[in-house]
Structures are given as structure tokens and as C-alpha cells.
Amino acid sequence: MTPQVSVLDAGGQYCHLIARRVRELGVYADVQPCDVDPKSLRNRSAIIISGGPSSVYEPGSPQVDGEIYKLGLPVLGICYGLQLMARSLGGTVEKGDKGEYGQATIEVLLADRLLAGFAKTESVWMSHRDRVANLPPGFRLMAATPTCPVAAIGDEAHNLYGVQFHPEVVHTHRGRRLLENFLFEIAECQRDWDPLQQFPEIERQVREVTGDRNVLFFASGGVDSTVAFALCLRALGPERVHAVYVDTGLMREGETEFVRATFERMAMGVFEVADARSQFLGALAGVHEPERKRHIIGEEFVRVQERILERGHFLDGHWILGQGTIYPDTIESGGTKQADLIKTHHNRVAGIQRLIEQNKIVEPLRDLYKDEVRVLGRTLGLPDALLDRHPFPGPGLAIRCLCAAEAGVPERTSDGYIVPVRSVGVQGDSRTYRAVLALEERPSEAVMEQATETINHLTTVNRVIALCGAHVPLREMRVLASALSTERLARLRAADAIVRRMSEESGFERQVWQFPVVLIPLGSADRPDSVVLRPIHSVDGMTASAVVMEERLLASMTEQLLAIDGVAAVFYDLTHKPPATIEWE
Ligand code: XMP
């Protein structure tokens, strides 16, 4: 199927969200590297240039061939895409004196064409430092904010438009309308996309790729690999599919049993568990550096997988590998040159890459987004408990169990205590590891507002956490040298199980998109760790807001968590994404 719209990836994680939003509006869209040859886009109806973390003047920053604007196609530049467009067509871009991250209000100057249906003022989501200073010839100013005088521009004669804010995120209230205006009014796209219509084509592809071979899956218990397995099961029958679940020792409580039950409900005899707990924990022993932990886990996955492949004679030519790779996975880890390292996918490490090159792989979901996969899964009869479960990262509890190479003392400042653990955040679009600011106040809406302001002026921290309860006063707490031990993982697993049970029973689980529970090495000699609660609202994980839970639930959760052996305190993460990420590593 030829896409009507291509989203050019300027290195931002937002490019997928843009393509997804276009598909949600019923228009098939793909993502292309931003240095794509413009001639290959001639048969599109429109082009969108995404945001990205770079500055247009930086050497080596992603660029778009200026011929794109001469194809006669409507082009929409978003954020960095707007800046690229403005600069390429004769305008100028300058560094803003301070960045603008989060909610902002635009004044709409031209509520027409791209901004048809917009009120005089509208709430939008901003995430940028640079801004357009002078408009290119032929462009008119369509919207502005006090910090960002050029928030939307358009050259109506050539159907070229640009916005500094992000219409693809839900925080931009009329973002959907803007995309509808661009797709249907300006670019005259047709509605041609419905994921449910893809069943026959996906099954045909599975049979074609598989030929007379069988399919082996490494099941993770996640939505994607389970739906991919169900699709292969449907296309090929139970005799020709097999699933192995690797128990890494990094999973949550009860996970292995849950996955087993899910697969055995689909078909008996297709599922087995491989115990690799000691292998993973051995490889991670003494490792503190977060990205290194991720890398090791990816490598060990490949090792276990290769061992299973060899021992089970899955390499005898009668088997190929099935994977739940979805569309963003094919692009994020280097499918496009500019993609910033957002996370390390074990679907794309070397060993698996070899199998792909040998044509020994089937990935029935490789053109689909997550919500499209869920739609298929529901139609296939998979249980809601699986399809609606919160996302859980592939590297498991390892990236929620922070380690410290050396001991450290939190520094008392007028803003709170700067705790020397390293947690990841996202500024612009790139990942940065920084310290955390701990407040003695209990979490509340007011403290969250104050935290959002504090973090904007502090460049040394990524997050703000508020104290829910403790055995030890914050001023006496220390960061302790600590690694990824069985004991600490068991502590985190116990904390996570308590939080999950209480959130499910209270209904809070359904009010949030994800609820990571994190263990940080902050406490005292006999209680060396603290638990951090990280419930968030999100639509897609690309942006997120911290959520304050109801006081009674929080009080009883805190009480139960403080009863866990070795837990000194319970904290609450009040930071939105950006500037923090959802996970802590
Ligand atoms: P961040 O922390 O980047 O997370 O805000 C965004 C979403 O991605 C999930 N996540 C992962 N999922 N493998 C995964 O399968 C990973 O390595 C990984 N890292 C983060 C995270 O849980 C959140 O939903």
C-alpha cells in the first residue's frame, strides 16, 4: 500500500506519533529519513517534517533537501521541521534565551486554512529552545506566544505551513483539527486506512514468508509478541508454531504464570519456559551504569536465544523466528540515521539481525502501531487483561532498580535535597542523566506545580520527588554503593506487587497509563533503599504528566511499602515528561 503522507524523521521521537495521528484520521502514512531523495516522494499527497533535538545551525544536524518544497506538494513543518523549512526558504532561526517546554497559549492571528476552527487563543504543547526570527518571503504569521513570536506560519500560495508547537500531542487541544485541516482541506487526502482490513494481507504475508517452515517465538508476555504469535497461530495452525518464554529473573511477581496461562488458553502444547535467571543476574553483577545495563540485557537475550535455537534444533532449516516488532521498533534504533538513541531494542541487536539477513524471520506487525495491534488482538479474542495491561519495559525490573558505584551525601539547598543518583530525562529530544531533587513535602497538586517551576530553573536535576513517608529523616539519608543484587530485585518485586495489587483493587490502575515503581539506593545502613512511585497519564508514552493520587490510597500504600524489609522511605515522582522520562533509566 502506498502511503499518502510521509513523515520525515528529523531525529525526534515525535515523528511516529505524527504518523500515528495521521493514520488515526484514516490516512495511511509512513516515516522516512529526512534526507530521503525528494523524487521518491512524488507520488505522496503531502509531506510532514517532524521535530528533533538539534539546532538547524549545528554542523551535522538533520537537513531536508530543499527540492522537497518544489515538488508542488503541501508540506507541514513541525517544531524543528518548521525551523528547517523557514531557514531553507530564506528566513532565519535564532537561539531563544530560554527554552519553552510544556503548556503554552498561542494567540491566533489567522484562523484560516491550517488554523481553521481555532479560537482567538488556544492551548498548545511546546518543546523547543531555538525559534524562527524572520519569516521566509511569501509566508504570513498565523500565531504567536509571548516567548515564541513565530508559533505558526504559512505560504498559502504554495501550501507550505509550519508550526512551532506539537499538534500531534493531546496537550495541544486543537491539534487533531489542525492535522485534519492539513490532510483533508489543504492536501485533499482520501481516507484509505483501517487496521482491521489488514488481516487477510498479514496472514498472506505470514504464509508467504514462512513457506513450509515452522515459526518459533520468544514470548515476552507483552501485547506485541502475543498478538504476533496469535496471528501466526491463526495463519499456520498449532502444529507449526512454538513459543519459548525466557525467565530473566528481572520480571514482576506472577509474570511467568500469567504468560503461561495466556498462551495455553490459545493452544495447549505450544509454550515452554526457559530459566535464564542466573545467567542474566551473573552478567549484570557489579554493573552500575544505566545504558550499560540495558546493553548487557540485550546481549544476554541474544545469547539465550541462540542457545535455545541450537539446543532445540530450531536452526535445522525447518524453523524461522517470529517477532512482535512493531513499526516504531524498525526505525528507532537506527533504521533512520538521525534517530536519537531513545532506547535499546533487543529486537534489533546483531544476532537477530543475522537471522533477518538470512530471511529467517517473520514480523507480522512490522507496519503497525501499538494501538492498531490492540485492535487486531481484541478481534482475535485475546483477553483484556493482556491487551489493556500497562506497558512494561523489555529490560524489566533492571532499569527500575537504580545502582550506585559509590556512596554519596544528598546536598541540602534552598530548593530541597539534591540526591546524587542518576536518573534519565529528556530535554529537547535527547536523553540526559542527572541527579534528583527530593522535597520534604508530601505530594500534592500544589507541590507538583511548584516542582514544575523549580525544575525549569535548575539545570542540575532531571526530576523532583516528594516524600510520602520514611523511617529515617531525609537529612540523615545517604546514597549507598549498591548493585543489582537478588536481594534488591526481590525488594523491588515486593514493592511493585503491593502497588499493583492496591492500584487494581482501588481502580487507580485504570486511571493511569502506566505506574512504574522504582527502587533507589537512598536510605540508611539497615534500610538501604527507597521506593519511588511514578504513576503517569499519557496517551502514547511520548509525553506524560505526573498524577497525584488520592491521599487515603497513598497513605495506606506508603504504610505497606515501609513495612518491606530494607525500605527506608517512599517518594513520589512529580515530574512531567518532558523534562523527565517515564522510566528512571
Ligand atoms: P521513557 O522512559 O523513555 O519510556 O519515557 C517511554 C515508554 O517506553 C517504555 N520503555 C521501554 N519499553 N523496552 C521496552 O520495551 C525498553 O527498553 C524500554 N524503555 C522504556 C517505558 O516503560 C514507557 O512506557
Side-chain angles (χ1 to χ4, degrees):
M1 194 165 165
T2 309
Q4 292 182 72
V5 176
S6 280
V7 180
L8 307 192
D9 173 8
Q13 49 179 325
Y14 292 109
C15 68
H16 282 294
L17 186 51
I18 300 167
R20 252 188 60 193
R21 291 284 182 250
V22 173
R23 289 191 190 183
E24 271 169 26
L25 293 169
V27 174
Y28 189 53
D30 73 348
V31 170
Q32 294 284 339
C34 71
D35 59 358
V36 60
D37 180 359
K39 288 198 278 297
S40 68
L41 302 177
R42 272 198 195 120
N43 60 358
R44 304 293 195 267
S45 301
I47 293 165
I48 300 178
I49 309 171
S50 81
S54 312
S55 189
V56 287
Y57 294 108
E58 261 168 36
S61 61
Q63 301 293 330
V64 163
D65 187 330
E67 292 299 312
I68 293 273
Y69 310 110
K70 298 184 192 150
L71 290 171
L73 298 175
V75 182
L76 173 64
I78 296 175
C79 191
Y80 179 79
L82 155 75
Q83 295 164 10
L84 274 182
M85 176 191 271
R87 184 171 177 231
S88 176
L89 296 174
T92 56
V93 176
E94 66 178 15
K95 279 238 169 297
D97 23 335
K98 58 177 189 157
E100 197 178 19
Y101 302 101
Q103 211 75 44
T105 303
I106 51 165
E107 187 190 348
V108 177
L109 308 170
L110 278 177
D112 190 22
R113 303 279 288 170
L114 188 68
L115 304 186
F118 275 53
K120 208 72 217 111
T121 58
E122 291 284 358
S123 184
V124 300
W125 188 261
M126 291 282 194
S127 175
H128 67 102
R129 195 163 276 276
D130 293 359
R131 60 192 187 197
V132 172
N134 294 301
L135 271 50
F139 278 76
R140 289 202 293 169
L141 185 62
M142 302 176 71
T145 80
T147 330
C148 176
V150 179
I153 59 173
D155 172 351
E156 286 154 38
H158 298 96
N159 279 335
L160 303 176
Y161 293 90
V163 288
Q164 185 57 65
F165 54 90
H166 287 272
E168 70 278 17
V169 306
V170 278
H171 302 84
T172 294
H173 292 164
R174 235 176 271 269
R176 183 186 166 101
R177 175 68 194 264
L178 186 150
L179 290 175
E180 281 174 335
N181 288 341
F182 179 69
L183 295 173
F184 301 114
E185 303 306 322
I186 296 169
E188 298 179 3
C189 290
Q190 306 301 311
R191 290 181 203 269
D192 66 347
W193 175 248
D194 174 1
L196 281 181
Q197 310 260 309
Q198 304 306 307
F199 272 120
E201 179 55 20
I202 292 174
E203 286 185 33
R204 190 194 64 71
Q205 277 178 20
V206 168
R207 289 196 198 99
E208 185 184 301
V209 173
T210 313
D212 57 2
R213 300 170 295 182
N214 301 332
V215 181
L216 169 73
F217 268 86
F218 288 103
S220 72
V223 175
D224 305 336
S225 62
T226 312
V227 173
F229 179 85
L231 278 165
C232 288
L233 178 66
R234 182 168 134 149
L236 304 171
E239 299 77 28
R240 297 186 54 199
V241 290
H242 189 69
V244 183
Y245 168 85
V246 178
D247 185 351
T248 59
L250 302 170
M251 307 312 288
R252 307 167 111 177
E253 196 174 283
E255 182 63 9
T256 307
E257 297 71 28
F258 176 83
V259 183
R260 183 195 298 280
T262 307
F263 276 77
E264 292 188 342
R265 210 175 300 124
M266 279 190 266
M268 287 308 285
V270 292
F271 180 82
E272 72 177 281
V273 176
D275 184 354
R277 286 176 293 184
S278 53
Q279 176 181 339
F280 275 85
L281 297 182
L284 288 164
V287 180
H288 306 98
E289 213 274 310
E291 292 297 328
R292 178 111 191 89
K293 275 156 75 178
R294 283 176 166 274
H295 190 77
I296 289 175
I297 292 166
E299 280 183 343
E300 291 310 313
F301 258 113
V302 174
R303 266 195 207 117
V304 182
Q305 287 173 346
E306 284 180 347
R307 200 172 60 226
I308 292 168
L309 289 172
E310 275 163 30
R311 285 205 193 137
H313 302 290
F314 292 112
L315 295 173
D316 63 3
H318 296 297
W319 290 84
I320 64 171
L321 200 62
Q323 285 207 131
T325 312
I326 62 171
Y327 191 45
D329 303 340
T330 65
I331 297 194
E332 247 179 22
S333 311
T336 57
K337 281 172 250 147
Q338 275 82 21
D340 238 30
L341 178 70
I342 300 298
K343 52 194 170 191
T344 327
H345 278 284
H346 46 257
N347 280 8
R348 279 289 177 272
V349 285
I352 298 288
Q353 203 64 45
R354 223 170 41 229
L355 289 166
I356 297 175
E357 281 152 20
Q358 291 168 357
N359 187 28
K360 281 189 176 169
I361 203 143
V362 59
E363 296 176 315
L365 306 174
R366 57 168 301 124
D367 293 327
L368 299 178
Y369 284 111
K370 187 86 160 197
D371 40 2
E372 298 170 334
V373 171
R374 284 209 182 87
V375 170
L376 298 193
R378 236 175 277 285
T379 308
L380 287 169
L382 286 170
D384 290 347
L386 173 90
L387 297 172
D388 294 338
R389 61 194 329 215
H390 288 171
F392 185 73
L397 296 179
I399 61 162
R400 293 182 176 174
C401 188
L402 269 68
C403 305
E406 52 195 48
V409 182
E411 180 198 344
R412 188 173 193 163
T413 70
S414 57
D415 292 306
Y417 289 84
I418 311 250
V419 181
V421 292
R422 295 172 68 221
S423 96
V424 70
V426 50
Q427 255 109 18
D429 275 350
S430 35
R431 284 165 75 88
T432 46
Y433 279 89
R434 291 198 183 144
V436 173
L437 181 73
L439 308 177
E440 275 172 320
E441 288 102 318
R442 282 184 72 73
S444 68
E445 295 290 340
V447 176
M448 182 159 75
E449 251 177 58
Q450 174 207 325
T452 308
E453 282 199 6
T454 309
I455 205 155
N456 272 340
H457 79 77
L458 278 184
T459 50
T460 46
V461 301
N462 264 340
R463 297 173 193 270
V464 181
I465 54 178
L467 188 62
C468 310
H471 289 292
V472 188
L474 188 44
R475 64 175 182 283
E476 287 172 21
M477 285 188 211
R478 298 290 176 264
V479 169
L480 294 112
S482 41
L484 203 60
S485 62
T486 318
E487 187 190 359
R488 294 188 72 226
L489 281 169
R491 193 171 286 146
L492 173 56
R493 195 173 286 116
D496 179 69
I498 289 172
V499 171
R500 275 213 290 168
R501 180 175 45 75
M502 296 187 80
S503 325
E504 197 194 325
E505 283 168 7
S506 62
F508 183 69
E509 187 188 35
R510 287 187 298 281
Q511 294 167 31
V512 292
W513 188 80
Q514 196 176 8
F515 193 167
V517 177
V518 180
L519 199 72
I520 59 173
L522 177 68
S524 59
D526 55 341
R527 291 185 169 270
D529 284 309
S530 289
V531 172
V532 183
L533 305 174
R534 174 74 172 134
I536 51 107
H537 282 316
S538 181
V539 173
D540 38 55
M542 303 277 190
T543 59
S545 34
V547 188
V548 177
M549 78 167 68
E550 190 242 320
E551 182 53 46
R552 265 211 349 234
L553 176 62
L554 180 58
S556 52
M557 205 178 261
T558 303
E559 191 188 321
Q560 293 208 23
L561 291 170
L562 286 175
I564 299 174
D565 210 27
V567 170
V570 177
F571 290 94
Y572 204 103
D573 189 340
L574 291 174
T575 335
H576 305 310
K577 173 183 178 178
T581 47
I582 298 172
E583 303 290 349
W584 272 52
E585 288 191 337

